[in-house]
């Protein structure tokens, strides 16, 4: 996405959020129409089932509507939305597996370039996503499919930007291995 | 939202639309505001009745009064919980809710003071009027804050509209 488009989209979302906070009921519909697709794709990528994604997306939207009056920075809507979606997915996974997902040991330093980040297409990422562990899967979805900046990913994931970089680096390497295994060329 | 924007966007399911329509319903919010106000003001008026009773009341009547007050306060607390957790008020809803609260407070204060005037002592009348005055002032403050918040959001909306144009 071009930077100009991103800024314009951010402003449009910000305006919709302010209209929602004012209590304009029509704005809720517009906001949901604008963000349901990215939200659903994120949830679908994390849980792997369209039906579960439908339920979880609805659950997330209800939380979003209930929390909107407390969102004081309209321009932060996207990271805030994905934070809620992430919490909904985490609760769902916790219910299923009975225990929280544990993170692997991570470092903030990434020196080596995997040489892969700039050439990944959305289709390639989606093709290999299901084979990745949840942490790596979600950072790829947020950064590459939802186009969140590093700072936005860090806010959603609740980790420092350096950790996002290292997680992203590891996720791309794992994805490359998966794609090569599936016959894609790196 | 990059390459996928070009592809067909996933439509919002009807079930989700219905759930969200119920979730943002103004009627539901105002109903809870009304329930809270009715519970709180009902409890206040029963308290005035009890306090201004000229003769000592039988134990059963006292228990009934206490139970009615508890029920009124419970409804007020329930409405407060719903409005803070489940159906938070948006800026316009807050203005409407605060207007309703102000009107109901004035009515309750007038009714309570009139009750005290026909049944109670001067001290009881003064105490009832003073308490009613505090309630009216609190409702007025809520209304002023709701208007200020709404004005602030309207300004922000206009600024964002101008910058987006």
């Amino acid at each position: 996405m071009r930077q100009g488009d991103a800024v314009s989209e951010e402003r449009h979302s910000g305006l919709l959020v302010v209209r929602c906070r004012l209590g304009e009921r029509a704005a809720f519909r517009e906001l949901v129409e604008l963000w349901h697709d990215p939200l659903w794709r994120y949830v679908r990528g994390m849980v792997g089932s369209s039906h579960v994604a439908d339920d979880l997306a609805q659950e997330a939207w209800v939380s979003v509507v209930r929390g909107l009056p407390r969102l004081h920075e309209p321009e932060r809507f996207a990271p805030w939305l994905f934070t809620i979606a992430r919490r909904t997915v985490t609760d769902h996974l916790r219910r299923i597996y009975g225990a929280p997902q544990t993170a692997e040991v991570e470092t903030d330093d990434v020196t080596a370039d995997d040489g892969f980040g700039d050439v990944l297409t959305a289709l390639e990422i989606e093709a290999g996503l299901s084979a990745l562990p949840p942490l790596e899967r979600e950072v790829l979805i947020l950064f590459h499919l939802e186009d969140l900046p590093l700072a936005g990913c860090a806010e959603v994931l609740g980790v420092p930007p350096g950790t996002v970089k290292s997680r992203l680096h590891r996720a791309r390497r794992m994805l490359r291995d998966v794609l090569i295994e599936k016959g894609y060329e790196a | 939202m990059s390459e996928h924007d070009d592809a067909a966007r996933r439509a919002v399911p009807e079930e989700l639309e219905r759930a969200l329509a119920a979730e943002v319903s103004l009627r539901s919010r105002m109903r809870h505001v009304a329930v809270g106000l009715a519970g709180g003001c009902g409890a206040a008026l029963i308290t005035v009745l009890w306090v201004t009773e000229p003769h000592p009341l039988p134990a059963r009547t006292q228990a009934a009064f206490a139970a009615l007050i508890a029920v009124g306060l419970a409804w007020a607390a329930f409405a407060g919980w719903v409005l803070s957790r489940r159906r938070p008020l948006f800026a316009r809803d807050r203005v409407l809710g605060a207007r309703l609260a102000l009107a109901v407070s004035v009515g309750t204060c007038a009714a309570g003071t009139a009750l005290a005037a026909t049944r109670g002592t001067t001290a009881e009348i003064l105490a009832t009027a003073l308490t009613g005055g505090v309630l009216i002032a609190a409702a007025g403050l809520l209304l002023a804050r709701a208007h200020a918040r709404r004005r602030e959001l309207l300004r922000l909306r206009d600024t964002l509209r101008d910058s987006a144009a």
Side-chain angles (χ1 to χ4, degrees):
Chain A
M1 190 189 327
R2 289 196 304 275
Q3 190 152 4
D5 291 344
V7 171
S8 156
E9 191 172 274
E10 197 175 274
R11 276 189 191 146
H12 183 50
S13 292
L15 177 59
L16 283 175
V17 169
V18 172
R19 288 177 56 207
C20 290
R21 290 189 60 204
L22 269 167
E24 291 182 23
R25 265 62 187 181
F28 286 101
R29 192 187 164 87
E30 288 181 47
L31 189 70
V32 174
E33 277 173 2
L34 184 65
W35 283 100
H36 180 66
D37 185 51
L39 175 74
W40 186 88
R41 276 192 288 118
Y42 166 73
V43 176
R44 167 73 176 76
M46 291 305 296
V47 298
S49 153
S50 299
H51 294 299
V52 177
D54 282 340
D55 291 346
L56 292 182
Q58 178 164 330
E59 204 177 306
W61 274 118
V62 168
S63 301
V64 166
V65 168
R66 288 177 182 174
L68 261 182
R70 289 190 295 276
L71 176 64
H72 295 295
E73 293 175 276
E75 66 279 8
R76 309 291 307 148
F77 178 72
W80 182 75
L81 173 74
F82 284 107
T83 303
I84 289 177
R86 182 175 195 256
R87 200 181 307 138
T88 309
V89 168
T90 309
D91 288 347
H92 167 76
L93 294 176
R94 208 170 275 161
R95 278 196 300 270
I96 287 182
Y97 298 113
Q101 301 287 312
T102 50
E104 293 171 24
V105 177
E106 292 168 310
T107 59
D108 282 359
D109 300 322
V110 182
T111 47
D113 181 10
D114 50 33
F116 206 53
D118 299 332
V119 294
L120 286 174
T121 67
L123 279 177
E124 283 172 338
I125 292 173
E126 283 183 352
L129 271 182
S130 56
L132 298 186
L135 286 179
E136 285 71 19
R137 201 187 311 162
E138 76 177 342
V139 78
L140 283 179
I141 294 173
L142 292 172
F143 189 80
H144 286 289
L145 298 186
E146 307 301 349
D147 283 336
L148 283 190
L150 272 179
C153 293
E155 191 178 329
V156 173
L157 301 175
V159 295
T163 307
V164 175
K165 277 187 198 169
S166 68
R167 201 177 282 182
L168 205 46
H169 175 72
R170 190 175 61 239
R172 284 169 182 156
R173 289 177 68 87
M174 291 170 84
L175 183 64
R176 180 178 60 185
D177 294 344
V178 169
L179 292 180
I180 288 172
E181 211 170 279
K182 286 189 172 190
Y184 285 86
E185 283 183 18
Chain B
M1 296 203 283
S2 53
E3 296 164 43
H4 288 260
D5 285 349
D6 300 331
R9 291 178 68 86
R10 189 174 178 79
V12 180
E14 276 182 29
E15 195 186 334
L16 174 59
E17 281 188 2
R18 275 197 300 274
L20 290 178
E23 200 61 42
V24 301
S25 159
L26 174 64
R27 185 177 292 185
S28 161
R29 282 165 171 76
M30 288 304 110
R31 205 164 43 225
H32 283 97
V33 169
V35 163
L37 288 171
C41 291
L45 286 177
I46 292 168
T47 307
V48 172
L49 268 179
W50 192 357
V51 169
T52 58
E53 191 63 42
H55 306 293
L57 290 171
R60 278 186 185 178
T61 313
Q62 288 194 29
F65 271 3
L68 285 173
I69 291 169
V71 167
L73 292 177
W75 275 112
F78 169 71
W81 176 79
V82 170
L83 291 172
S84 62
R85 300 278 171 174
R86 302 280 168 182
R87 298 279 190 272
L89 295 172
F90 299 104
R92 286 178 181 173
D93 315 349
R94 272 177 195 267
V95 173
L96 279 176
R99 279 184 188 153
L100 198 60
L102 184 61
V104 172
S105 305
V106 169
T108 306
C109 176
T113 310
L115 264 179
T118 54
R119 298 154 52 98
T121 62
T122 310
E124 285 166 351
I125 299 168
L126 275 176
T128 307
L130 196 65
T131 310
V134 170
L135 280 179
I136 291 171
L141 188 66
L142 279 179
L143 182 58
R145 284 181 59 182
H147 272 301
R149 187 79 198 121
R150 183 164 173 260
R151 273 196 302 271
E152 193 184 315
L153 284 171
L154 283 173
R155 270 197 298 273
L156 183 56
R157 183 192 67 181
D158 294 341
T159 308
L160 286 170
R161 265 189 185 153
D162 291 345
S163 64

